[in-house]
Amino acid sequence: LIAMLNGTDNCKVSIEAESGVELLLKMKGNVPDVVLLDYRMPEMNGIDVAKKIREKYDSVKILLLSYFDNQEFVVRAVECGANGYLSKDDEPEEILQAI
């Protein structure tokens, strides 16, 4: 996914993180335009991270990625600050279009 994003003309991955806590720390010095969050991450799940990002960086667009594909999960993600939801099963072109 990172190679695909960096291979486009209008996307550049500026932060990679293994956990939500690591992402929030890295964002203090480098606030991106868009954040792709996995729902399942160590230390803090994607919904909790989305809440924290929304509190501190209101202009950042947040897309949540997950294998969960039910309406309740999508609604919860949006209620917690995500601008959108993508399934990990989506085609790479769909992910690029969403960004």
Side-chain angles (χ1 to χ4, degrees), residues 6-18:
N6 282 334
T8 66
D9 291 334
N10 57 351
C11 287
K12 178 183 176 261
V13 176
S14 61
I15 299 174
E16 290 181 61
E18 295 292 322

Side-chain angles (χ1 to χ4, degrees), residues 26-54:
K26 288 183 173 183
M27 284 182 68
K28 287 182 180 179
N30 182 17
V31 180
D33 296 325
V34 178
V35 173
L36 284 174
L37 289 176
D38 194 336
Y39 175 75
R40 290 190 176 183
M41 294 186 294
E43 301 178 52
M44 189 183 292
N45 70 44
I47 287 179
D48 291 339
V49 176
K51 286 181 195 177
K52 296 272 188 199
I53 292 171
R54 187 57 59 228

Side-chain angles (χ1 to χ4, degrees), residues 61-72:
K61 303 299 182 210
I62 303 167
L63 297 174
L64 207 63
L65 285 163
S66 180
Y67 282 117
F68 298 118
D69 196 19
N70 65 50
Q71 186 70 22
E72 181 181 324

